[in-house]
Structure formats: C-alpha cells, structure tokens
Amino acid sequence: MKKTTKEILLALFLGIVCPGLLFWTVDKIRPIPESRADDTTAFVSAQQEVTEISVKLENAVEQMELEAYLVGVVLQEMPASFEEEALKAQAVVARTYTLKRLEAGGKHEEADICTNSSCCQGYCSPEDYLTEEGKQDELDKVMNAVFNTAGQVLIYDGELIEATYFSCSGGQTEDAKAVWGSEIPYLQSIESPGEENATHYVDTVKFTLEEFTESLDITPVGEPKFWIGETTYTQGGGVDTMYICGVEYKGTTLRQKLGLRSTAFAVSIVGSTVTITTKGYGHRVGMSQYGAEAMAVLGKLYTEILSHYYQNTQLVAYDGN
Ligand SMILES: [Zn+2]
C-alpha cells in the first residue's frame, strides 16, 4: 500500500503507531539547503517505493519499513528527553548507518541488521516503549525527529559514510585509525565540549592485583607500583599503547580485556588496589550523543551537529540505489 507524504505526516501527527503503513521516499541525491533541511516535503517524492529492511530481533527476523525501524532505533539509542535537534542528528546517523549495511548486502546472513547495540544498533518498538512506561509525547518527539529528516543521509565523496556514534567522548573524540587501524577522512579526532553531565563522563573502576593480572593473563614482575611502564597516547587522548609488567598492550586491547568504558584511561596502583579512571563511554569515533545534546542545548541545528562530528561530509537525500 502506498501513502503520500501528506498522509504520512497526518498519521504522524495523529499519533498513529502503525509502522506497516508508514513509508518515505526520495527522488535523487542532492544537497539539502540548510534553510530547507527541516522541510521534509521539499525533497520527498510520493511516487517511489518504500525501502524495506530485514531486522534480526531476539527470536525472529522481521521485515520493516526503514523509517519505522529508525523510530525504534532512536528510541533505544538516545534518551527521548534529549533536544529535538540532537534526536534529528541521531535519526540521520542511524539511517546512514543502516543504509550503509544494506548497500553492503546486509551485515548478517539471515538479516540486514540486528538489534544488538554492540553489534549493529539497538531497537525498541514503539509498542514496547509505551508498555515499558515510555510516554506518548516522547514517542511523538522521536517520530518527529525521524520523519522531519526522512530520507536524509550523510555522504563523503559520493558514498554513504560509516556513520559511527557512541555515548560520550570525555571531551575529545577519537579518530578511526586509532581504534580500527584504517584512516577514514571524515572520522577524525575533534573537540566535543559540554559533555560533563553525561552519566559516564568520568568513571572509576577498581581491581585487586590478582584480578588485574588474571584479566591480562600476565605474570606479575616486581613491585606493583612499578608495573605500569611507558604509555603513548592517541590524538583523541586515548591510550595508544601501554607497557604492563614489560608487556606492550594496545589501549583497545586493554579496554576489551578489562571491560573499560573507553580507551581514555589512567591506571594507578596503590598498595594492593589497581584504580582505573576512564573518560567517556564507547569507542569515541564519530558522533558523541552527549556532545550532540550539548550542541543542541546551545541552539545548534542538527545539520551543524552532523557537520561538526563528520567533517567535510554532505547531507543529502538518499537515492535508493
Ligand atoms: Zn548485528
């Protein structure tokens, strides 16, 4: 069943939650003028086909309409209490991330994308959101963010970007090379001020000496206070490499082995306690969600948020190819 854009928006404003009936379409890739970037009807054509994706849920694979799926992603991935412009930035980023997976033939054998946030993107259906004490006005706010950016994606050099995002940077994002080893021009380390209110802006975890050495599978050498040796840092303030008991580790390896919130950490060993203080939460590459919120609070538009975190990219209407 096809619906016109006006019908979609009417359904949206009536608060109807019926993903099967809602769809969006766009005609061709073209830059979105800043002044009209908010005006969905300016570039959405009603004549085209709905984009469907297969989503791997916990116990099933479901076919979903892209924009309806994105409502569920934004509901799960960003607090609905965030500013509208931050939610819109999140919607564009989640859409770009999803279509990139789709263009690559799907991330999973049985589905294009899954709902595990550490693998693909989290997802919460509107029905579940309301059942789990979410409020209708929050749902409406998220739906508005998705539909007011319908079809909009980020490209670089004519291709969809790798739109990675994370919770909180701790003040400075990381470049892609530092975390994944390959240089990506639009994923560079950049300042991300105003995140101090984020839940995990700074965190501290403590280990016993045994827990620490067992997690790293190393043999203790000498006095604990001398275990930590030379440390190098990335552009984004993360640990690049660190010597522990004479063994060199990558910061990313230490984060994984010790279950740290980020690679931006400092280790202190006093007596029989290892204290690790982390800044930020996540891989810290791409858009910081708390940073996006901080920009939105200052009155920045979602277009400005996106061009800050993904430098030299363009916001365009997706052409569906
Ligand atoms: Zn996945």
Side-chain angles (χ1 to χ4, degrees):
M1 177 187 276
K2 290 189 175 183
K3 294 275 177 190
T4 64
T5 304
K6 276 186 181 169
E7 284 173 297
I8 292 170
L9 294 172
L10 181 63
L12 174 65
F13 286 114
L14 288 174
I16 294 170
V17 180
C18 189
L21 293 178
L22 298 173
F23 77 104
W24 63 277
T25 54
V26 295
D27 52 7
K28 60 186 178 182
I29 282 192
R30 59 182 181 275
I32 295 163
E34 195 109 322
S35 60
R36 302 189 71 186
D38 222 9
D39 182 3
T40 307
T41 55
F43 55 88
V44 174
S45 152
Q47 275 78 50
Q48 298 197 354
E49 299 281 321
V50 57
T51 297
E52 282 209 343
I53 56 164
S54 55
V55 182
K56 188 179 164 207
L57 304 167
E58 213 166 305
N59 299 312
V61 172
E62 200 176 299
Q63 286 293 122
M64 293 189 200
E65 187 279 315
L66 175 67
E67 298 294 311
Y69 159 73
L70 292 172
V71 169
V73 173
V74 178
L75 279 174
Q76 183 66 34
E77 292 282 358
M78 182 177 266
S81 59
F82 274 22
E83 295 285 325
E84 206 179 311
E85 294 300 309
L87 291 166
K88 281 156 72 180
Q90 178 67 59
V92 172
V93 169
R95 182 179 299 108
T96 307
Y97 181 91
T98 304
L99 288 168
K100 185 79 174 172
R101 302 284 84 74
L102 203 65
E103 282 194 355
K107 185 159 176 181
H108 295 272
E109 217 167 273
E110 66 277 44
D112 297 319
I113 206 155
C114 80
T115 55
N116 176 349
S117 62
S118 55
C119 175
C120 295
Q121 299 184 112
Y123 173 86
C124 177
S125 73
E127 293 82 359
D128 286 349
Y129 186 76
L130 293 175
T131 306
E132 290 158 18
E133 300 188 352
K135 298 193 172 63
Q136 181 67 47
D137 60 338
E138 294 169 341
L139 174 58
D140 291 345
K141 195 175 162 193
V142 168
M143 289 177 82
N144 273 319
V146 173
F147 287 97
N148 285 337
T149 61
Q152 297 178 22
V153 292
L154 289 167
I155 59 167
Y156 180 88
D157 210 10
E159 302 281 333
L160 288 172
I161 69 161
E162 287 291 349
T164 58
Y165 58 93
F166 58 91
S167 177
C168 162
S169 77
Q172 181 90 18
T173 73
E174 198 62 272
D175 60 70
K177 189 162 188 225
V179 178
W180 297 308
S182 49
E183 179 73 26
I184 299 181
Y186 51 83
L187 292 179
Q188 299 296 322
S189 174
I190 200 147
E191 278 188 12
S192 183
E195 299 179 350
E196 290 79 3
N197 292 332
T199 321
H200 301 294
Y201 182 72
V202 175
D203 259 335
T204 301
V205 282
K206 291 182 189 295
F207 300 88
T208 64
L209 296 174
E210 292 71 31
E211 286 167 346
F212 186 68
T213 54
E214 276 170 23
S215 298
L216 301 180
D217 199 19
I218 47 170
T219 309
V221 179
E223 280 187 59
K225 63 180 179 184
F226 300 122
W227 283 359
I228 307 300
E230 190 189 337
T231 303
T232 61
Y233 296 91
T234 62
Q235 181 91 20
V239 169
D240 188 15
T241 59
M242 179 180 273
Y243 277 90
I244 301 174
C245 295
V247 180
E248 187 186 30
Y249 289 93
K250 289 288 292 175
T252 46
T253 306
L254 291 173
R255 180 187 175 212
Q256 187 246 321
K257 283 184 180 289
L258 295 166
L260 305 176
R261 293 209 187 274
S262 85
T263 57
F265 61 87
V267 184
S268 136
I269 303 178
V270 177
S272 58
T273 304
V274 181
T275 304
I276 304 184
T277 305
T278 52
K279 277 187 96 177
Y281 188 16
H283 51 61
R284 299 167 59 243
V285 181
M287 185 182 81
S288 159
Q289 293 171 312
Y290 275 90
E293 170 69 353
M295 286 183 73
V297 166
L298 290 176
K300 301 287 185 192
L301 299 173
Y302 76 103
T303 48
E304 295 173 289
I305 295 170
L306 294 169
S307 57
H308 175 73
Y309 287 104
Y310 307 100
Q311 300 260 311
N312 304 315
T313 59
Q314 280 178 286
L315 186 66
V316 299
Y318 187 61
D319 72 349
N321 292 317

